[in-house]
Amino acid sequence: KGKTRISKKGNSHIRAALHMPSMTCVRCNPTLKQFYNRLKPKKAKPLVALIAVQRKLLILMFTLWKNEEVYNSDFEKKKQQKHNTLAAQDNKLINQLVS
């Protein structure tokens, strides 16, 4: 089968327009930076991970436009904190059941 490749079926104009913003997001946006750094070692070329960031950025832009919302950079932090508190509560319940 060989190595996987980046599909060229998508709109090349959108792909070209998202190239520089995705590079900036990888440097400045903590959420996308973490996503890129997680994918980069798994991929053969760093460009493949960058294109994954482009796709994620495009989906984010479409979702914000569709829901008529403004980007909130603290959303991921709040989501992570909520996840951590739920995990801590689950651990307490498990410890109580085991005891």
Side-chain angles (χ1 to χ4, degrees), residues 47-69:
L47 185 64
V48 177
L50 190 65
I51 290 172
V53 171
Q54 289 177 10
R55 182 177 185 277
K56 196 170 202 59
L57 190 60
L58 184 64
I59 290 171
L60 175 66
M61 288 188 303
F62 178 73
T63 304
L64 291 174
W65 173 75
K66 185 174 75 171
N67 296 331
E68 296 180 359
E69 294 179 1

Side-chain angles (χ1 to χ4, degrees), residues 4-96:
T4 58
R5 297 173 191 226
I6 299 168
S7 171
K8 302 297 182 189
K9 288 183 179 181
N11 190 327
S12 62
H13 300 292
I14 293 174
R15 202 169 33 254
L18 285 175
H19 182 72
M20 290 305 287
S22 65
M23 290 177 67
T24 304
C25 285
V26 165
R27 281 197 341 253
C28 301
N29 188 320
T31 306
L32 292 175
K33 183 177 187 175
Q34 183 181 19
F35 176 71
Y36 176 77
N37 289 333
R38 183 173 53 89
L39 286 182
K40 189 176 171 185
K42 296 178 185 176
K43 303 300 179 185
K45 296 179 183 176
L47 185 64
V48 177
L50 190 65
I51 290 172
V53 171
Q54 289 177 10
R55 182 177 185 277
K56 196 170 202 59
L57 190 60
L58 184 64
I59 290 171
L60 175 66
M61 288 188 303
F62 178 73
T63 304
L64 291 174
W65 173 75
K66 185 174 75 171
N67 296 331
E68 296 180 359
E69 294 179 1
V70 178
Y71 178 70
N72 183 5
S73 61
D74 296 331
F75 178 77
E76 285 294 325
K77 292 177 188 175
K78 291 177 186 176
K79 184 176 163 183
Q80 187 65 30
Q81 288 173 349
K82 184 178 178 181
H83 177 71
N84 289 341
T85 55
L86 288 175
Q89 290 173 354
D90 289 345
N91 287 338
K92 275 185 182 178
L93 290 173
I94 290 171
N95 289 337
Q96 288 175 353

